[in-house]
Amino acid sequence: MEEEAEEAPELDRPTAPRDFHFYHVDLYDSEDRLQIFPEESSRMRREVVQAEMTGEPRGLAKRKPQRNLEEEVDELVHLYGLEDDHELGDEFVDENMPRIEVSEYPPYMTTEREPASEQRGWRLSGEAAEAEDLSFRVWGSAGKCQDLREAYRYTHGRASEEYECYVIPEEEDEEEAADVFCVTCKTPIRALEKVLDEHREHEVTPLNKALESAKDEIHRNMYKLEKQIIEMENFASHLEEVFITVEENFGRQEQNFESHYNEILETLAQKYEEKIQALGEKKKEKLEALYGQLVSCGENLDTCKELMETVEEICHQEKVDFIKDAVAMADRLRKFLETKTDVEISTQPALEDQTLDFADVEQLLGAINTIPPPSAPVINPQAPNSATGSSVRVCWSLYSDDTVESYELSCRPVRDSSPGKNQAEFTMTVKETYCLVTNLVPNTQYEFWVTAQNRAGLSPASERAVYMTAPSPPIIKNKEIRSCEEAALICWESGNLNPVDSYTVELTQADTPEASGVTESVVGIPTCEALVQLQPRRSYTIYVRALGVGGPSARSEPATVHTTGSYFRLNRHTCHPWLTISEDGLTAVRSERKTPAREPPPSNTCFSRCVAVMGNLIPVRGRHYWEVEVDEHLDYMVGVAFEDVPRQEDLGANCLSWCMRHTWASSRHKYEFLHNKMTPDIRITVSPRKIGILLDYENSKLSFFNVDISQHLYTFSCQLPQFVHPCFSLEKPGCLKIHNGVSMPKHITFY
């Protein structure tokens, strides 16, 4: 709707208050709409259905007799309950108030293009639709109560039920997008606020740069967080192993105590039964003896009493009877008295000292701490990332209920000979079921075995397992690093006697503030070099790791790579014997020494005819730029050539090289641009002291420039199906100095 309004600005369309939008809503046949006025809504739907069936406009489908407008207004005022709101009549009537056109039909029912103002109209329902013939305008009549009621509802953001639309408060205009970032307040702002607002004295930076910085900081923090997570996971694993070991040891100890305790109880119960039985038998024996003696004593006592009574009876008899009976009684008494009566107790009442023998119980009690020797532990295979270059983590376990006090871990290196033969070994004692063995040789195999011990002795040795330490950190060849604005070629030495599985290159943007986390990693590199894609005009700190069976190595020493311009060094393997290359590989010198009588022997790598040397340019297509500092009185050639350019020919004398040649003779400069022994006729009036060379693979061009005066010298159009390398030649004593890693001048970007 806004686009149509822009296409027809000249239309006299009604305008709404500034803070509101109007949205058309089709509620003709909505069954879900809240029935605020059921009669009105039902009547409106009947009119719509009849209008659709007859094909006539809804206002004409069934037109009622036109009533007086004041009657309609009074009815609507009563219907809406606005009898007490008549005081609003004068408040909203104003000639300058915007007007809203009321259309009988919704926009999509019109048959031809209508002005934008009519398309913004709202559909009337009921009697309000019949006011169409009177050219009724909502804001046009000052005395119409209906107009005032709708104006009141309109300005208060409410939906009018007579007009089937919603009046929604307009959202505030969107502010202009922020384009800079306030570093002080740490919030995005507009550039205008920097000048006019409170951010005037604050430090600001471009929003894109702030976004990149925030992303880099998030990456660094994520890297640190991942590292901390790994450390915490390793620590948790360590704690878990200790927990399991302690739990197993105490569990076995508890089982051992319980077993011995039950055995002691059984022994004591048995001894108790035996002692109780022996005491019972002894008691019975003594009681039976005492009882027999008691019975005998009773019988003797009875006999004595009888004799006494008999004697007393005799004593009371007459003399003659007494003498007769006394003789017989005397014989009887004599015989009784001659019978020996046992008056000593056969069994003493005192208890005998019953000494209990608890020797076997004491033996059992001592056996609680006497346990059998443990069985052989089971050593685990090496876990991933469990080793460093100088240490390895060895783990083992027990599959029995043995009680173990300590372990003895033995180790010996595995070298050329088979494991376990004639190798120095060392042993260490540990309490846990793991051990971190240190002071080892990087990328080397070690053989481990373990024994368990307790008070009873040592267990048999476990099976032997071979562990391997992580590789040594690789050694980056800084002098062989080559780069351009899009990539860098990193070379390194393995630093390990044994082969490794792969390498990982880690990149950190050195020009990022507080850069300490890895922003990018290139993994799975099988060889000792990698071509890494980079962003232009950045500085990177590069590390390399080696990955072996034992895990990744530590980081290598860092190397710095700049992606400004192209960076390369001279290839000493292609250097003519008469040239000397500087230590940094950027200067070629031909000394004043006497030229040998014979040329060097032919070679497939070194130049033998042309006193030249090639550079190692990174094998990346695109645009490469470097500069060469020369002496204006020096005879030299600079250009490019394929890798297989003949070493026994001059540069520019074949189809495999393109060169700019300068000769100085008789105070006269001569410049040639040679390819396949051909050169164009070009005159150069200002001798360059610094030559810029642009190699453009995309456009198949090689251009030369006078850097000091920003002058274009010449451009070759050349087909380059393969990669080429810079080449330099000195026909007379002197030196050439290469300047690379420099930005491409602006005037060169047009060529």
Side-chain angles (χ1 to χ4, degrees):
M1 296 296 293
E2 295 178 358
E3 295 179 356
E4 295 180 0
E6 291 176 0
E7 293 177 358
E10 70 281 355
L11 296 176
D12 184 18
R13 58 189 177 186
T15 59
R18 183 174 54 186
D19 294 334
F20 293 87
H21 279 309
F22 297 91
Y23 297 86
H24 296 286
V25 180
D26 182 15
L27 301 177
Y28 285 158
D29 298 320
S30 175
E31 298 294 338
D32 299 329
R33 190 180 67 176
L34 181 64
Q35 299 296 327
I36 302 176
F37 307 109
E39 296 180 359
E40 285 294 315
S41 301
S42 301
R43 181 174 54 78
M44 286 190 290
R45 285 198 296 271
R46 289 196 300 270
E47 289 183 8
V48 171
V49 173
Q50 184 175 358
E52 291 177 352
M53 294 177 60
T54 59
E56 298 179 356
R58 183 164 58 117
L60 301 177
K62 184 179 180 180
R63 184 177 296 275
K64 297 181 179 180
Q66 186 172 358
R67 295 184 297 173
N68 190 309
L69 183 59
E70 294 183 358
E71 296 178 359
E72 293 184 4
V73 170
D74 295 336
E75 181 180 352
L76 291 175
V77 168
H78 176 73
L79 182 63
Y80 284 88
L82 301 176
E83 293 88 349
D84 298 333
D85 296 343
H86 60 275
E87 64 274 12
L88 299 174
D90 298 333
E91 182 179 354
F92 294 97
V93 178
D94 192 347
E95 295 180 357
N96 298 325
M97 291 286 284
R99 298 189 304 165
I100 302 176
E101 183 74 5
V102 179
S103 175
E104 182 178 356
Y105 306 106
Y108 50 80
M109 295 184 60
T110 57
T111 57
E112 61 184 15
R113 183 175 179 85
E114 299 177 354
S117 60
E118 295 182 4
Q119 292 184 10
R120 287 179 174 267
W122 299 303
R123 178 167 53 86
L124 291 173
S125 61
E127 290 82 2
E130 298 174 359
E132 170 72 12
D133 297 334
L134 300 176
S135 299
F136 178 77
R137 292 180 179 271
V138 174
W139 302 94
S141 301
K144 306 299 186 295
C145 183
Q146 173 67 21
D147 305 348
L148 301 180
R149 300 292 83 74
E150 292 301 322
Y152 179 78
R153 293 176 178 274
Y154 177 85
T155 55
H156 285 72
R158 294 185 291 177
S160 172
E161 191 67 25
E162 281 295 305
Y163 307 107
E164 293 190 357
C165 72
Y166 288 106
V167 182
I168 302 176
E170 181 182 9
E171 297 180 359
E172 296 182 359
D173 295 337
E174 296 185 359
E175 296 183 356
E176 182 181 351
D179 51 2
V180 295
F181 183 81
C182 179
V183 179
T184 306
C185 300
K186 297 187 180 301
T187 181
I189 60 173
R190 293 177 296 173
L192 184 60
E193 296 180 11
K194 165 66 178 172
V195 180
L196 302 177
D197 210 343
E198 68 272 7
H199 305 281
R200 181 179 304 173
E201 303 297 332
H202 294 178
E203 179 184 358
V204 297
T205 184
L207 193 60
N208 293 335
K209 186 175 181 181
L211 180 62
E212 292 295 331
S213 178
K215 289 182 178 179
D216 292 342
E217 184 176 0
I218 291 176
H219 285 308
R220 292 195 300 273
N221 292 334
M222 288 180 63
Y223 174 76
K224 294 179 181 178
L225 183 60
E226 291 176 356
K227 187 175 180 181
Q228 186 174 358
I229 290 174
I230 293 174
E231 293 178 355
M232 294 302 296
E233 288 178 348
N234 293 336
F235 181 69
S237 177
H238 180 192
L239 288 179
E240 184 178 1
E241 292 175 357
V242 174
F243 181 86
I244 293 174
T245 302
V246 172
E247 186 179 23
E248 291 177 351
N249 288 338
F250 276 92
R252 287 192 292 269
Q253 195 75 9
E254 290 173 0
Q255 294 177 0
N256 185 32
F257 284 153
E258 183 178 0
S259 175
H260 284 77
Y261 176 75
N262 293 332
E263 187 176 356
I264 291 173
L265 290 180
E266 292 177 359
T267 303
L268 289 174
Q270 183 179 355
K271 284 185 173 295
Y272 172 79
E273 294 294 336
E274 292 176 355
K275 290 295 182 182
I276 291 297
Q277 185 177 357
L279 289 174
E281 293 176 355
K282 194 72 172 176
K283 173 184 176 182
K284 180 179 179 182
E285 180 183 354
K286 286 190 174 186
L287 291 178
E288 289 179 351
L290 292 173
Y291 181 77
Q293 194 174 8
L294 181 62
V295 170
S296 176
C297 183
E299 292 176 351
N300 291 334
L301 184 61
D302 291 339
T303 301
C304 290
K305 288 181 178 180
E306 182 184 357
L307 290 174
M308 288 294 294
E309 292 176 354
T310 302
V311 171
E312 288 180 356
E313 290 178 358
I314 292 174
C315 289
H316 292 89
Q317 291 179 0
E318 294 294 335
K319 296 180 180 180
V320 177
D321 293 333
F322 175 76
I323 293 174
K324 292 180 181 178
D325 292 334
V327 174
M329 181 60 63
D331 291 338
R332 185 178 176 185
L333 287 173
R334 181 178 51 82
K335 291 180 181 180
F336 178 78
L337 293 174
E338 288 179 355
T339 304
K340 187 177 181 180
T341 302
D342 187 7
V343 292
E344 294 181 1
I345 298 176
S346 61
T347 302
Q348 296 297 327
L351 295 177
E352 298 178 358
D353 186 10
Q354 300 292 331
T355 303
L356 300 178
D357 185 9
F358 289 102
D360 49 355
V361 177
E362 293 177 356
Q363 184 178 0
L364 288 174
L365 289 173
I368 292 179
N369 296 325
T370 303
I371 54 178
S375 58
V378 178
I379 195 165
N380 301 337
Q382 184 173 4
N385 300 327
S386 61
T388 65
S390 60
S391 66
V392 66
R393 182 184 175 87
V394 184
C395 301
W396 58 89
S397 59
L398 288 175
Y399 290 157
S400 64
D401 295 333
D402 297 333
T403 299
V404 178
E405 296 179 359
S406 62
Y407 299 91
E408 288 187 359
L409 178 65
S410 301
C411 172
R412 65 159 59 102
V414 179
R415 304 196 184 277
D416 296 335
S417 60
S418 59
K421 293 184 180 180
N422 301 325
Q423 297 290 340
E425 66 179 61
F426 55 92
T427 303
M428 59 198 72
T429 302
V430 294
K431 296 290 186 180
E432 296 83 10
T433 56
Y434 63 91
C435 180
L436 182 63
V437 185
T438 58
N439 299 325
L440 303 179
V441 179
N443 203 33
T444 303
Q445 291 182 335
Y446 287 87
E447 184 183 31
F448 291 93
W449 66 96
V450 64
T451 57
Q453 66 178 358
N454 54 24
R455 296 180 181 179
L458 284 173
S459 72
S462 67
E463 296 291 334
R464 297 172 184 259
V466 176
Y467 280 54
M468 190 170 186
T469 54
S472 298
I475 303 173
I476 298 179
K477 301 178 181 178
N478 289 278
K479 294 184 178 181
E480 296 185 16
I481 294 178
R482 293 173 274 171
S483 64
C484 62
E485 293 197 349
E486 300 175 355
L489 181 63
I490 314 299
C491 302
W492 60 85
E493 294 179 356
S494 174
N496 295 275
L497 297 177
N498 298 322
V500 300
D501 294 342
S502 63
Y503 297 93
T504 299
V505 175
E506 299 177 351
L507 310 174
T508 301
Q509 291 192 24
D511 51 359
T512 302
E514 299 180 2
S516 59
V518 176
T519 58
E520 183 180 0
S521 295
V522 182
V523 299
I525 303 172
T527 60
C528 289
E529 67 176 20
L531 185 63
V532 184
Q533 298 295 325
L534 303 175
Q535 298 180 6
R537 294 176 296 280
R538 298 289 181 89
S539 295
Y540 291 87
T541 301
I542 296 183
Y543 305 88
V544 181
R545 295 181 189 265
L547 183 63
V549 176
S553 70
R555 278 179 169 182
S556 66
E557 292 295 326
T560 303
V561 173
H562 304 281
T563 55
T564 302
S566 296
Y567 191 86
F568 63 90
R569 284 184 171 88
L570 297 175
N571 187 353
R572 300 176 186 274
H573 300 292
T574 63
C575 181
H576 191 280
W578 297 355
L579 290 179
T580 302
I581 306 301
S582 62
E583 184 66 23
D584 60 3
L586 299 176
T587 303
V589 180
R590 181 174 180 178
S591 61
E592 296 284 351
R593 62 186 179 182
K594 184 178 180 180
T595 303
R598 294 186 303 172
E599 294 182 352
S603 173
N604 294 328
T605 58
C606 298
F607 286 96
S608 56
R609 177 178 178 84
C610 180
V611 184
V613 63
M614 297 183 70
N616 277 331
L617 190 64
I618 183 172
V620 173
R621 293 189 175 275
R623 307 184 81 185
H624 300 270
Y625 177 78
W626 64 94
E627 297 174 354
V628 184
E629 184 178 344
V630 298
D631 189 347
E632 61 181 357
H633 301 300
L634 181 67
D635 293 352
Y636 59 86
M637 284 191 293
V638 293
V640 298
F642 286 109
E643 179 71 27
D644 56 350
V645 64
R647 302 299 198 261
Q648 295 79 29
E649 297 182 8
D650 290 330
L651 296 176
N654 47 59
C655 61
L656 301 178
S657 59
W658 295 261
C659 294
M660 170 183 173
R661 181 181 182 184
H662 169 260
T663 56
W664 167 261
S666 302
S667 301
R668 182 172 175 269
H669 297 279
K670 180 181 180 182
Y671 292 92
E672 299 174 285
F673 295 91
L674 297 170
H675 174 63
N676 206 12
K677 298 183 179 180
M678 299 181 63
T679 179
D681 186 12
I682 294 179
R683 299 291 186 270
I684 297 177
T685 57
V686 179
S687 298
R689 293 181 175 272
K690 184 179 291 187
I691 301 172
I693 302 175
L694 174 63
L695 173 62
D696 190 349
Y697 279 101
E698 297 177 354
N699 298 314
S700 299
K701 292 182 178 181
L702 176 66
S703 302
F704 297 87
F705 303 88
N706 186 338
V707 177
D708 295 332
I709 62 175
S710 303
Q711 179 186 20
H712 173 245
L713 301 178
Y714 184 73
T715 296
F716 285 104
S717 295
C718 46
Q719 297 298 323
L720 303 173
Q722 301 176 359
F723 291 107
V724 294
H725 296 280
C727 55
F728 311 89
S729 174
L730 289 172
E731 299 181 0
K732 291 183 179 180
C735 71
L736 292 174
K737 187 174 182 179
I738 303 169
H739 295 271
N740 51 24
V742 295
S743 299
M744 189 182 305
K746 295 182 179 180
H747 68 276
I748 293 180
T749 58
F750 300 103
Y751 292 92

